[in-house]
Amino acid sequence: MIRRSRWVACAGPFLFPWGEAGSRRVYGLVASLAAAGYDVVVAGGGPEPLTTTALPGIDGPGSVSHIGLSEKPPPDAGPLASSIQTLLRWGQRTVRWLDAQPTRPSHVLVHGGQAQYMFHLQRWCRRNRVPLIVDVVDWFNGRHVRGGYLGPLHASMKLALHHYYPRCDGIIAISSYLENHYRRTDKPILRVPPTLDVKNLTVDARQTVDDSSPLRLVYAGNPHGNRKDLLGTVIEAVGHIQREGASVELRVYGPTLDDVRHLFDGRPLPDGVRCLGRLPQAQVAGALQEADFSVLVRRPERAADAGFSTKFCESLASGTPVIANLTSDMGRYLRPNLEGLVCRDHSLAEVTEAFRTAARLSGAQRSLMRQAARSQALESFDYRAYAEPLGSFFRNWD
């Protein structure tokens, strides 16, 4: 175990080795902290043993380790055992682990876990005079969680959002919306978008695209039954421009074929729509690079504006421009006809018009957009760019 006094415990019951969205968000933060000179132990919710994680390309003296604390109930746990763990004991194992360390961490960084988890960590940090910093990435929408708006999970999320997070010593916000919301707390706050190792991501070296090649679109993610990403609208728009004579292919990664058919109300899918199922995270960049554009269409509601799509950042990092309507802070990084194409809203008419524009682009124009997307990602989403800001932020409590 790390014994240096300048080490950060990064805790969260949903943090697992780096495949899932929440873990990918934390990957960027801890890589920045390691580059700033901090030793970080990521205490996740799974059963994984302590491992030292060699993050490629860290430019700094810090380190990153990962340990599983089994906060998350095992898959075979019954409803009663799962409820007791998540509603009553959430965070107790993390606190016991913190108590067992030979040297107290200089900071605790918490990601997720809702009210019960925050209750235990906040008490421990106050008792031990360790600053607690929370990473806030979402404004929870009851439609997207088990039990809906009236369920205990949504109530716990809201309690954390409005009661526990504002009472932390510092706040990292993923978006301007959340930054502005928590600004009224007068606590130190830093906005950090999703970050990743852009510099070391291998990108297709091709510089030209054939004018005669079909328009290749890609969607990768989970549309949550069309409640989050409007994949049904995207498919409808593909059908429209195909009937007008455009040559277009849409590859869908994530939902199953049956899921996609359900989004399309059981109607036959347009020609060229290929449902390829779930893709391992390590293969996502390659799938994105095979497309001319990734597509991200969302309703402009508070949950979309408060969060920030990791998929958007991964697409630009892969050198793949994006077709999207602007939610959250995307307008800071997606300039029309540079890093991609902007839909004025999320309607079928606007998405269809954007696809028409994309289909008319020459190969040279598509290539220039690929270069602009990659350049934007290197400047805005590489974790190295946030080593100094995060290091300075944490030094507020050194």
Side-chain angles (χ1 to χ4, degrees):
M1 184 56 59
I2 292 171
R3 294 175 180 270
R4 289 171 52 183
S5 60
R6 231 169 142 250
W7 73 277
V8 177
C10 178
F14 302 113
L15 299 182
F16 300 90
W18 312 111
E20 301 181 11
S23 295
R24 298 202 303 278
R25 160 64 172 178
V26 170
Y27 171 101
L29 292 181
V30 302
S32 296
L33 287 171
Y38 284 93
D39 295 311
V40 186
V41 179
V42 179
E48 302 87 3
L50 176 65
T51 57
T52 298
T53 307
L55 299 181
I58 289 181
D59 301 319
S63 66
V64 178
S65 302
H66 183 279
I67 186 171
L69 300 180
S70 299
E71 286 279 11
K72 188 176 180 181
D76 57 351
L80 179 60
S82 295
S83 298
I84 291 173
Q85 175 63 21
T86 55
L87 296 178
L88 299 177
R89 299 174 180 168
W90 215 226
Q92 289 182 355
R93 293 177 182 177
T94 302
V95 166
R96 288 198 296 268
W97 172 76
L98 287 167
D99 274 330
Q101 301 315 301
T103 304
R104 294 285 182 261
S106 57
H107 310 74
V108 171
L109 171 63
V110 63
H111 176 94
Q114 293 84 54
Q116 297 87 343
Y117 195 82
M118 291 300 301
F119 171 76
H120 291 292
L121 262 67
Q122 205 163 73
R123 283 207 312 174
W124 187 91
C125 286
R126 286 176 178 171
R127 186 171 65 247
N128 291 277
R129 298 182 180 180
V130 174
L132 178 63
I133 300 168
V134 62
D135 177 37
V136 189
V137 300
D138 208 348
W139 191 285
F140 303 106
N141 189 326
R143 291 188 302 164
H144 301 161
V145 300
R146 187 175 64 255
Y149 284 103
L150 301 179
L153 182 57
H154 185 245
S156 177
M157 290 174 168
K158 288 297 185 184
L159 184 59
L161 196 70
H162 295 296
H163 177 77
Y164 286 104
Y165 295 168
R167 287 164 174 78
C168 289
D169 298 289
I171 299 169
I172 299 173
I174 201 171
S175 66
S176 297
Y177 185 100
L178 289 170
E179 179 186 22
N180 293 332
H181 174 77
Y182 286 109
R183 185 71 68 187
R184 68 193 72 171
T185 65
D186 292 327
K187 298 291 180 67
I189 187 167
L190 178 68
R191 180 177 58 84
V192 181
T195 55
L196 58 154
D197 189 358
V198 181
K199 180 180 177 181
N200 284 325
L201 179 64
T202 302
V203 177
D204 189 342
R206 62 187 173 142
Q207 298 296 314
T208 60
V209 179
D210 193 329
D211 286 350
S212 63
S213 62
L215 175 65
R216 295 162 300 182
L217 306 174
V218 64
Y219 170 85
N222 182 357
H224 291 278
N226 229 27
R227 297 188 302 273
K228 186 176 181 182
D229 298 340
L230 299 178
L231 180 56
T233 301
V234 171
I235 294 173
E236 192 86 50
V238 168
H240 273 276
I241 67 168
Q242 281 185 337
R243 289 191 291 272
E244 295 170 0
S247 178
V248 58
E249 177 187 79
L250 170 66
R251 295 183 180 183
V252 178
Y253 295 99
T256 65
L257 177 59
D258 287 342
D259 292 335
V260 174
R261 284 173 173 165
H262 180 73
L263 294 177
F264 209 57
D265 299 324
R267 292 171 289 159
L269 299 177
D271 292 339
V273 176
R274 299 176 58 192
C275 302
L276 301 173
R278 187 172 176 84
L279 193 67
Q281 182 59 33
Q283 299 177 24
V284 169
L288 289 170
Q289 291 174 35
E290 291 175 354
D292 297 305
F293 295 90
S294 67
V295 185
L296 184 63
V297 181
R298 291 181 168 178
R299 292 183 179 88
E301 56 189 16
R302 184 162 57 181
D305 287 334
F308 196 124
S309 173
T310 304
K311 295 193 291 287
F312 172 76
C313 305
E314 290 175 335
S315 185
L316 296 192
S318 300
T320 303
V322 180
I323 297 176
N325 63 314
L326 298 180
T327 58
S328 188
D329 290 332
M330 286 170 56
R332 293 173 178 263
Y333 313 104
L334 177 57
R335 296 170 295 177
N337 303 311
L338 288 174
E339 293 86 10
L341 300 173
V342 175
C343 307
R344 288 184 295 184
D345 57 45
H346 64 289
S347 67
L348 174 61
E350 285 298 320
V351 177
T352 302
E353 182 58 33
F355 287 179
R356 288 193 190 103
T357 300
R360 291 193 295 264
L361 294 173
S362 67
Q365 288 172 311
R366 296 184 200 178
S367 294
L368 287 174
M369 284 190 178
R370 298 181 79 88
Q371 295 169 31
R374 173 70 178 176
S375 295
Q376 181 68 266
L378 282 167
E379 179 181 345
S380 303
F381 302 131
D382 189 88
Y383 73 76
R384 296 165 186 81
Y386 295 90
E388 194 281 328
L390 271 167
S392 296
F393 187 69
F394 273 61
R395 284 192 291 273
N396 283 326
W397 296 276
D398 279 357

